[in-house]
Amino acid sequence: MTKRRTALVTGATSGIGRATAVHLAGRGYDIAAVGRRGDRLAALRGELPTACLPLPGDLSEAGVAEQVVCEALEAFGGLDVVVAAAGHGRGYGPVGEADHRVWPAAVALNLTAAMQLTAAAAEPLRGSGGTLVLIGSVFGVDPAPDYAAYAAAKHGLRGFARSVRREKGMDGVRICLINPGTTNTEFASVIRGDGEPMVHDPSVWGFEPLLPEDVAAAVGWVVDQPAHVNVEELTLRATRDR
């Protein structure tokens, strides 16, 4: 009997995380889907063609990363792929005017949660010779005004990925950082403080932005590489995004 492949995806209730869960399920992966909104996880479970384990939880809270990994291992017996896609951009604005009270929570989700998830998943990924994909940002490569806190967290994530990749204890585990540019998800409305998260009409950007499905396809491509190939870092930008 062929062992089923399994993937744990955070941020699975919307945007890149959700698209990645759908994409990997379409490739035959059973999915452990992590997110804060239980109703959306339940809806996702009903849409996937493979087994889906909904794992509601806020990864910015202590111990949640370890808990969801344990629950996924208990349900599936192993992990072949872990995708850290949870994040938000609250705290947007000039550094002297932005709501700096939300910065600790933003760093906790955009950086610390991914670090804790990596630590919790390290042993099962070593056992499977698996792949860890961290969703970064172009702002972690090329900072922009008004995104200082977010850019700081994503720069930290880039340094974390580079360092962990060189650890002897991670031999055999492929680690990739994917840096998307402008992507049409609820992220933009959250940054602007809209009351209800929403996906904007693409026309607001003035060019055709990336879709979350584009980033999910990149995750699938990274995961599909032969076992001896590690795509260390991948940056995606919309063609006309300048």
Side-chain angles (χ1 to χ4, degrees):
M1 182 176 177
T2 303
K3 176 185 176 296
R4 295 190 63 83
R5 298 177 297 174
T6 61
L8 184 148
V9 181
T10 71
T13 57
S14 66
I16 292 170
R18 188 184 193 284
T20 298
V22 171
H23 185 87
L24 292 177
R27 291 174 175 264
Y29 284 83
D30 291 334
I31 304 295
V34 183
R36 292 181 296 106
R37 292 168 283 191
D39 56 337
R40 291 197 180 189
L41 291 178
L44 176 66
R45 183 180 191 178
E47 295 175 25
L48 299 187
T50 57
C52 177
L53 174 67
L55 295 171
D58 185 345
L59 287 164
S60 64
E61 296 179 358
V64 174
E66 294 86 350
Q67 177 185 337
V68 297
V69 169
C70 286
E71 292 186 30
L73 290 172
E74 183 177 350
F76 295 140
L79 286 172
D80 300 291
V81 175
V82 172
V83 182
H88 68 65
R90 295 185 183 92
Y92 166 83
V95 69
E97 302 171 17
D99 184 0
H100 58 83
R101 294 170 299 179
V102 304
W103 286 355
V107 172
L109 184 57
N110 291 316
L111 175 58
T112 309
M115 295 167 64
Q116 293 171 334
L117 186 71
T118 299
E123 185 173 344
L125 286 176
R126 284 196 300 266
S128 65
T131 304
L132 170 69
V133 180
L134 304 171
I135 302 299
S137 169
V138 292
F139 293 147
V141 179
D142 184 17
D146 301 336
Y147 289 90
Y150 182 73
K154 292 301 185 179
H155 270 76
L157 188 63
R158 192 181 192 205
F160 177 76
R162 289 180 168 184
S163 180
V164 171
R165 193 181 295 118
R166 286 160 175 76
E167 291 183 2
K168 291 182 178 179
M170 296 300 280
D171 283 350
V173 179
R174 301 186 300 180
I175 301 175
C176 179
L177 177 71
I178 296 182
N179 302 309
T182 303
T183 308
N184 199 25
T185 69
E186 294 176 357
F187 181 89
S189 68
V190 171
I191 283 179
R192 289 168 172 76
D194 295 345
E196 184 69 24
M198 60 175 288
V199 177
H200 291 288
D201 185 289
S203 63
V204 306
W205 302 111
F207 58 89
E208 185 175 0
L210 299 175
L211 300 175
E213 290 78 12
D214 299 324
V215 184
V219 174
W221 178 78
V222 167
V223 168
D224 282 349
Q225 295 304 302
H228 67 283
V229 177
N230 185 175
V231 181
E232 293 191 349
E233 190 166 345
L234 193 62
T235 298
L236 309 176
R237 293 181 188 266
T239 302
R240 297 184 181 278
D241 185 358
R242 297 293 185 265

